[in-house]
Amino acid sequence: MRAPRRLLLGLAVVAVPLFLALLGPLFAGEPGPRAVSFTLGDGHWLGTDFVGRDVWQQVLHGGRTVVLTALAATALAYAVALPVGLAAAVTRARWLEELLMRPLDVLLAVPSLLLILLVASVFSPGAAGLALLVALVNVPDAARIVRAAAAEAAARPAVEALRMQGESWWRVAVGYVGRSALRTLAADAGVRLTGVLYLVSTAAFLGVGVAPDAADWAVMVDRNRTGLFLQPWAVVVPALLIVALTTGTNLLFDAALDKKGRRP
């Protein structure tokens, strides 16, 4: 598929979940009286959930936490991984590289979801805490990718020339080495954001970071799955919105990278 078509398809796929996540609460209105469980009609476009709450209203309220938590977690992960990975790639001191990377290898050996569940069982984090936990488990892998992408550029003669000219660490590591690795990091960002969305949704599905009765797409799937055959919309709609969000994000990043790579 050509890059422009992939870009348009990605925009079309991601537009609906993003619109509902960011602007949905503005159109949700005040919650009305609860109806009989799984009621269809009477103004309930998608019926009601297992306790009689309007599914459409829950959908309008339920995406903001997922999207904002995932974006915050991805940004926090790179805020730590970028300086660590670039410092490990640029430094000529072997001990500093080992000091920066070996502790991350220990964290990388622990399954991400297991670490989140272990910490959550002790501290019971909210949405902000969940973003921090997801960022923490993504730092080791992100830092390794940053270092690997920057290592080739850091070994070029141009880097040595910049050092001999007395250029600052920022000019060498970010201005030259970081820019050289930008394409690889952009590709990783698309995949990582998708993985973070999956991890945030899975954690919320398991009750981490959100209240059990919160209006959240992942919580809706968990809360209504036992009544799937009685009221499928309460499960299918939020699940499809999460899938559309992750799929559309990947398509957008792929299209942007493919377009950049085809430039003469």
Side-chain angles (χ1 to χ4, degrees):
M1 185 183 296
R2 293 180 180 274
R5 293 181 181 177
R6 191 183 294 120
L7 180 62
L8 290 176
L9 179 59
L11 287 173
V13 171
V14 83
V16 172
L18 269 184
F19 177 83
L20 292 177
L22 300 179
L23 300 179
L26 300 178
F27 302 98
E30 295 296 326
R34 296 189 182 185
V36 179
S37 298
F38 307 128
T39 296
L40 290 170
D42 296 330
H44 304 297
W45 298 359
L46 299 177
T48 56
D49 63 11
F50 76 111
V51 292
R53 287 178 295 193
D54 186 78
V55 171
W56 175 241
Q57 194 173 57
Q58 295 285 298
V59 167
L60 291 176
H61 280 293
R64 183 170 290 184
T65 303
V66 175
V67 172
L68 294 183
T69 303
L71 289 175
T74 305
L76 286 171
Y78 278 114
V80 177
L82 281 172
V84 170
L86 288 175
V90 172
T91 184
R92 290 180 288 186
R94 180 70 177 179
W95 64 269
L96 179 58
E97 180 182 356
E98 295 291 323
L99 181 64
L100 291 171
M101 302 305 297
R102 295 297 76 80
L104 298 182
D105 291 343
V106 175
L107 282 176
L108 195 62
V110 182
S112 301
L113 190 56
L114 176 60
L115 182 59
I116 289 175
L117 292 176
L118 286 174
V119 175
S121 66
V122 178
F123 295 106
S124 300
L130 178 59
L132 286 173
L133 283 175
V134 174
L136 174 66
V137 299
N138 274 274
V139 165
D141 186 49
R144 288 174 64 88
I145 290 177
V146 171
R147 180 193 171 279
E152 186 273 334
R156 294 175 186 170
V159 172
E160 189 63 29
L162 289 171
R163 285 173 175 153
M164 293 178 66
Q165 292 173 8
E167 297 289 352
S168 65
W169 183 90
W170 180 268
R171 175 74 175 86
V172 174
V174 179
Y176 181 79
V177 175
R179 288 183 61 186
S180 300
L182 193 58
R183 181 174 172 80
T184 301
L185 299 183
D188 176 69
V191 177
R192 191 160 307 283
L193 181 57
T194 300
V196 167
L197 282 166
Y198 158 78
L199 198 54
V200 168
S201 299
T202 304
F205 179 86
L206 296 174
V208 178
V210 293
D213 61 344
D216 182 274
W217 290 344
V219 174
M220 288 178 67
V221 174
D222 175 49
R223 191 171 56 212
N224 296 287
R225 57 191 170 88
T226 54
L228 176 62
F229 295 104
L230 294 174
Q231 169 40 316
W233 301 118
V235 176
V236 172
V237 172
L240 286 178
L241 288 171
I242 293 173
V243 171
L245 191 60
T246 56
T247 303
T249 299
N250 263 336
L251 286 171
L252 288 176
F253 273 89
D254 286 348
L257 289 170
D258 185 57
K259 184 178 180 180
K260 183 178 178 181
R262 291 173 183 271
R263 291 176 183 172

